Amino acid sequence: MTVNGWFQIGFFLLVIFLVTKPLGVFMKRVFSGEKTFLDPALRPVERVVYRLTGVDEKHEMRWTEYATAMLLFSGVSMALLYLIERTQKWLPFNPQKFGNVEPGLAFGTAASFTTNTNWQAYSGESMMSYLTQMAGLAYHNFASAAVGIVLAIVVIRGIARRETDKLGNFWVDTTRCLLWVLLPICLVSSLVLVSQGVVQNLRPYTTVQLLEPQNVQVTGADGKTTTQTVTQQVIAQGPVASQEAIKEFGTNGGGFFGANSAHPFENPTPLTNFLQLILIFAIPSGLTYTLGRMTGSQRHGWAVWAAMAFLFSAGVTTAYWAEARGNPLLAGTDQRVGALQPGGNMEGKEVRFGIANSALFATVTTDASCGAINGQHDSFTPLGGMVPLINIMLGEVVFGGVGAGLYGIIVFVILAVFIAGLMVGRTPEYLGKKIESYDVKMAMLAILVLTLTILGFSAVAIVKPFGTSSISNPGPHGLSQVLYAYVSSTGNNGSAFGGLSVNTMWYNTSTAAAQLLGRFFMIIPVLAIAGSLAKKKTVPESAGTFPVTGGLFAGLLVSTILIVGALTFFPALSLGPILEHLLMHAGKAF
């Protein structure tokens, strides 16, 4: 660990703190229908959209109607992406003449991008045409992000409103999110990325001659190995920058290239790396301020932000410490920081980013439901790799995905105030609303759906040949690979631990099912909570009311998140990364 590394991590958190208020205020104005500086340009476009689609922007929906609209929109979008993948061979903008995506992979990818997961069991540059990347995958990056954001806004409205069953209009909220929030910032960010060297074109791939021919070992279909001399290399390119911006800003994570943000065409410089990190946390952090502003309790919004910041700091500190210590199995190897070497465990990391930025990126992308990577989590030390795993297991509520992080932490807020109410022997209250049995049941249902999905699919995969046959490392590391796959899918993160061959019928279908369950079966209980809270009367505070605005509340919220996560997943973690860590220090590797 170095002073420079800690400075970069601290500076990142400072910038996130500084963008929280302005972005939070802007989103509050957008979704409250208040005037913004973009209105002269965007209001005419918005009216044309409503006129063409027949949307009544003054009509407000109950939570059930809102949920139905969201499910129909997501379902139709998913079917459209599947159709594009299955027919890309005959569609334009396919200079590499890629064939149609096979059904299992096409279904898994469609489910993945619809749910904001962006789990990729393929390398985009060798599988997807430019049209599929732009009209299919990049479109879903915008659409799924907008769905997450507007659902968070609905939950905030449920808390803020009283004695009503109206929570807004899904079509209006989604349109305003796309036009006012996502498109403008992504346009500017894309141009910045292009200025730094991120590729943006529609050219066919370029074949170049190698300056030094390379000899490679090739295994044929008969199992025999031969040596071949490679004299050429194909340079993949395409419309990368436009997809890269929304990939991070919408916490999607699916890269144009298989190497994701470790690829120099996606993430060429330390500046682009820092910008991508800021984009990942910007909206989730800003929504905490929106929560405070719309509910009339700004101190509550900051208390939620503080709880998130504490958990983030704990995670990145652990990951940085674990990776900077190096690998004790490499006896006799100098792993200290020096003028000519970064020190620590550099396996699976880009030298242009180093350990600090790799640990920071891994923590940020799994705190949020992003899943983009600039290093290979599979190559982290056991404890370093456990941090991304735990981040997703906790529900990705440490800032979290766009919208999903906020409504996810509201579930834990309800549990926290319920526990506080039990401690003082009175009905719990949350910002003037009494938390009753229905609200707690829905909150627990949302949590249990995620838990059952993760542990259920993982249990099947580690005892059946169709699951274990994809594991590249035996022992506890292999368990971590499988567990991470279903944690990432259910949590709609999309990052992979690596080393697990997931392009099989079992993993394509089971991870797709986990993604759909993790997204929509959590959303329904959350919307039910919003509808319930909106109908309630507000009650005045009293001496027995537990305050949700200070350090005590933030501490209780953090404790609730950790206790639920620890009780649920500690047995699996003890058999995976924790056991691997102990064996590593005992001199054993897998």
Side-chain angles (χ1 to χ4, degrees):
M1 294 187 288
T2 65
V3 173
N4 181 50
W6 285 117
F7 171 78
Q8 292 180 70
I9 293 171
F11 183 68
F12 164 76
L13 188 58
L14 174 63
V15 173
I16 291 299
F17 173 77
L18 294 176
V19 303
T20 297
K21 180 177 179 178
L23 186 56
V25 170
F26 178 72
M27 288 191 289
K28 186 265 181 183
R29 297 183 67 86
V30 168
F31 293 110
S32 297
E34 300 173 15
K35 190 173 182 179
T36 71
F37 69 96
L38 292 175
D39 282 16
L42 296 181
R43 273 296 286 168
V45 178
E46 183 186 24
R47 293 192 187 99
V48 170
V49 171
Y50 297 153
R51 192 174 298 117
L52 292 175
T53 56
V55 171
D56 179 6
E57 63 178 307
K58 295 183 179 180
H59 171 70
E60 293 214 359
M61 302 175 174
R62 298 184 300 276
W63 80 262
T64 51
E65 185 181 0
Y66 205 101
T68 301
M70 177 272 299
L71 291 173
L72 288 173
F73 174 73
S74 300
V76 172
S77 298
M78 178 176 168
L80 178 61
L81 175 55
Y82 179 82
L83 180 63
I84 291 174
E85 291 181 86
R86 295 290 293 131
T87 60
Q88 72 172 9
K89 177 181 179 180
W90 304 294
L91 297 175
F93 296 104
N94 186 9
Q96 300 309 119
K97 308 300 181 184
F98 290 139
N100 299 329
V101 182
E102 61 92 9
L105 182 59
F107 173 75
T109 303
S112 175
F113 277 77
T114 301
T115 57
N116 199 244
T117 308
N118 291 37
W119 174 269
Q120 294 176 290
Y122 62 91
S123 291
E125 70 269 36
S126 60
M127 179 71 67
M128 303 298 181
S129 70
Y130 289 166
L131 182 71
T132 303
Q133 294 270 22
M134 294 184 296
L137 307 184
Y139 159 76
H140 273 273
N141 285 351
F142 280 96
S144 63
V147 168
I149 294 170
V150 302
L151 290 172
I153 295 299
V154 165
V155 173
I156 295 174
R157 287 185 186 135
I159 299 169
R161 294 181 178 183
R162 53 187 176 182
E163 299 182 75
T164 180
D165 62 353
K166 304 301 182 184
L167 292 171
N169 187 305
F170 173 79
W171 308 111
V172 173
D173 290 341
T174 303
T175 301
R176 293 186 68 83
C177 183
L178 290 169
L179 291 178
W180 268 263
V181 180
L182 296 178
L183 283 168
I185 295 179
C186 285
L187 176 61
V188 174
S189 300
S190 297
L191 294 175
V192 174
L193 292 174
V194 169
S195 74
Q196 294 297 301
V198 178
V199 174
Q200 181 72 19
N201 62 45
L202 294 175
R203 297 176 185 171
Y205 295 174
T206 302
T207 302
V208 298
Q209 297 293 323
L210 296 179
L211 295 177
E212 297 182 3
Q214 303 291 316
N215 293 324
V216 298
Q217 300 291 325
V218 179
T219 302
D222 57 359
K224 295 182 179 180
T225 302
T226 58
T227 300
Q228 294 183 1
T229 300
V230 178
T231 60
Q232 295 180 330
Q233 180 180 359
V234 177
I235 306 296
Q237 55 201 296
V240 180
S242 55
Q243 185 167 325
E244 191 70 19
I246 186 58
K247 159 191 151 184
E248 313 294 8
F249 194 52
T251 63
N252 296 282
F256 189 95
F257 300 99
N260 209 278
S261 287
H263 198 291
F265 282 0
E266 286 197 31
N267 191 11
T269 68
L271 179 59
T272 60
N273 189 71
F274 186 75
L275 175 60
Q276 289 181 24
L277 288 168
I278 297 298
L279 288 174
I280 293 171
F281 263 12
I283 290 179
S285 182
L287 280 171
T288 62
Y289 197 88
T290 305
L291 168 67
R293 182 62 68 94
M294 291 181 70
T295 59
S297 179
Q298 202 62 68
R299 291 182 61 198
H300 173 61
W302 282 122
V304 172
W305 189 93
M308 292 177 169
F310 175 83
L311 290 170
F312 160 75
S313 300
V316 73
T317 298
T318 303
Y320 187 23
W321 169 81
E323 296 308 299
R325 292 184 68 199
N327 190 335
L329 292 178
L330 301 177
T333 303
D334 185 4
Q335 299 182 65
R336 295 172 299 176
V337 177
L340 300 178
Q341 65 178 23
N345 175 38
M346 278 297 294
E347 180 187 348
K349 300 178 179 64
E350 273 289 323
V351 293
R352 66 184 188 274
F353 302 135
I355 288 178
N357 277 288
S358 296
L360 176 60
F361 207 110
T363 304
V364 168
T365 197
T366 51
D367 278 336
S369 64
C370 184
I373 58 170
N374 73 350
Q376 188 58 269
H377 297 173
D378 186 51
S379 296
F380 279 33
T381 61
L383 294 187
M386 186 175 70
V387 170
L389 192 58
I390 290 178
N391 286 341
I392 310 175
M393 285 175 169
L394 294 179
E396 292 172 310
V397 295
V398 186
F399 294 103
V402 285
L406 185 72
Y407 64 68
I409 204 167
I410 292 299
V411 170
F412 283 103
V413 167
I414 289 173
L415 294 180
V417 297
F418 174 71
I419 292 171
L422 291 178
M423 284 193 247
V424 298
R426 59 172 287 155
T427 303
E429 299 170 13
Y430 175 43
L431 294 177
K433 302 285 185 73
K434 288 189 177 295
I435 301 301
E436 299 171 312
S437 62
Y438 177 83
D439 308 306
V440 178
K441 289 175 182 177
M442 290 298 103
M444 284 307 305
L445 178 59
I447 293 175
L448 291 174
V449 163
L450 302 181
T451 302
L452 180 61
T453 303
I454 292 170
L455 296 180
F457 279 119
S458 297
V460 173
I462 61 175
V463 298
K464 293 295 184 179
F466 50 72
T468 56
S469 60
S470 295
I471 296 174
S472 62
N473 299 90
H477 195 81
L479 173 61
S480 296
Q481 291 176 345
V482 173
L483 187 63
Y484 197 106
Y486 291 108
V487 167
S488 179
S489 296
T490 307
N492 300 138
N493 184 272
S495 64
F497 206 59
L500 187 72
S501 301
V502 293
N503 190 14
T504 66
M505 180 58 68
W506 162 253
Y507 281 106
N508 278 330
T509 54
S510 63
T511 55
Q515 291 154 19
L516 294 169
L517 289 169
R519 176 75 161 183
F520 299 115
F521 277 63
M522 179 185 179
I523 283 175
I524 301 304
V526 168
L527 285 175
I529 291 172
S532 173
L533 292 177
K535 294 178 181 179
K536 298 179 186 290
K537 299 179 180 179
T538 55
V539 295
E541 291 187 7
S542 66
T545 300
F546 179 72
V548 292
T549 57
L552 180 61
F553 165 73
L556 179 61
L557 179 57
V558 168
S559 300
T560 302
I561 294 169
L562 293 178
I563 290 172
V564 170
L567 293 177
T568 304
F569 294 108
F570 180 75
L573 291 172
S574 65
L575 295 174
I578 294 175
L579 177 58
E580 185 183 3
H581 172 76
L582 297 175
L583 291 173
M584 181 180 71
H585 281 275
K588 298 180 180 180
F590 296 92

